Amino acid sequence: MRNTIGIDAGGTLTKVAFLDDQNEFQFKVFPSKDLTLVKEWIESLPEIEEIGITGGRTEQLLSKIKMNKSIDYVVEFDATIKGVKYLLKKEGHDIQKSIITNVGTGTSIHYMENDTHVRVGGTGIGGGTLTGLSTIMTGLSDFKEITKIAKQGKREFIDLFVKDIFEGMEPPIEGHLTASNFGKVNLLNHTSYPIPDLLATIQALVGEVITTLSIQYADMKNSETIIYIGSTLTNNEHLKEVIANYTILKKHTPVFLNDCGFSGAIGALLNKVEQRNKLKDNNGILT
Ligand SMILES: Nc1ncnc2c1ncn2[C@@H]1O[C@H](COP(=O)(O)OP(=O)(O)OP(=O)(O)O)[C@@H](O)[C@H]1O
Ligand SMILES: [Mg+2]
């Protein structure tokens, strides 16, 4: 392992990125509700000398780490975009202009064009909503379990589709679109719902809200592509399918990145390396 790491201390998860001896990125994930685990991991590796850090829990984490490290903070949005650009290049995409939707605990939406980027909006509906509603409605709180079981669920007894309302008529918009998430509950007399169906319906609610908003910003900015990132998409094929189908239906191109949860941590690491090299250059000029 090299002596520099990048950390993204997020609302739910703290992500760490570092380069191994083959110059390949390695990743680690810790729950943000127990930052002592991050501190212990860092302290167990004395070779770590430099830390690039970002995310809303930066101060909470730094207050735990001994200050014998060189630390550089970078604001979350800058780190995220830097990481996204790195991953786009690594994964062979050539995209200069795009909406970037970060589905974290909540969802933050950005517009990137060449070297500029701006946060255009967001919503409180995100990964925290997915796990929160799932816990309350089904008792399941483990993300891996939720996403695995959601794949087997059906939405047709819970969600109200356009074709359900326009039965026997030609609907004015495509019939399979959702008219109302959870809207069928009080129209049918079911008294209980299978857990997979509830989870699939919660995923669709979260996915459709995020996609609807992203499409509106993409239209506003005249951007064809929407890049979806954030740990909520990690091994979550069901959610990605909801997002991809709706994005494509609305004539935009969805892009998913393999290491979708780690753009902030990668960006924080890259920023730290840049800062260090700048400092070296300046010292060179001064001496
Ligand atoms: N191992 C995991 N444990 C808990 N949640 C997980 C896990 N893996 C993925 N998730 C999902 O990812 C979400 C968090 O995503 P992410 O790490 O991108 O957000 P964050 O950076 O913590 O939050 P924010 O950016 O909003 O501050 C969780 O709400 C959950 O839906
Ligand atoms: Mg985050």
Side-chain angles (χ1 to χ4, degrees), residues 8 10-11 15 76 102 104-105:
D8 174 5
K15 283 78 60 182
E76 189 173 340
N102 187 2
T105 311

Side-chain angles (χ1 to χ4, degrees), residues 131-141 146 193-199 202:
T131 52
L133 285 179
S134 299
T135 304
I136 291 173
M137 293 172 70
T138 69
L140 298 178
S141 58
I146 290 168
Y193 297 90
I195 285 180
D197 291 6
L198 287 170
L199 296 178
I202 297 166

Side-chain angles (χ1 to χ4, degrees), residues 72-89:
D72 260 299
Y73 168 74
V74 55
V75 290
E76 189 173 340
F77 305 143
D78 293 349
T80 304
I81 305 297
K82 210 181 262 293
V84 166
K85 284 184 178 223
Y86 175 89
L87 289 173
L88 283 173
K89 202 166 163 201

Side-chain angles (χ1 to χ4, degrees), residues 8-15 29 32 56 76 102-106 126-128 130-131 143 230-232 234 261:
D8 174 5
T12 305
L13 301 174
T14 293
K15 283 78 60 182
V29 179
S32 293
E76 189 173 340
N102 187 2
V103 195
T105 311
L130 169 62
T131 52
F143 177 77
S231 308
T232 313
T234 306

Side-chain angles (χ1 to χ4, degrees), residues 87-105:
L87 289 173
L88 283 173
K89 202 166 163 201
K90 183 181 169 211
E91 296 179 20
H93 297 279
D94 183 16
I95 298 170
Q96 300 306 324
K97 173 177 169 158
S98 184
I99 290 293
I100 298 173
T101 297
N102 187 2
V103 195
T105 311

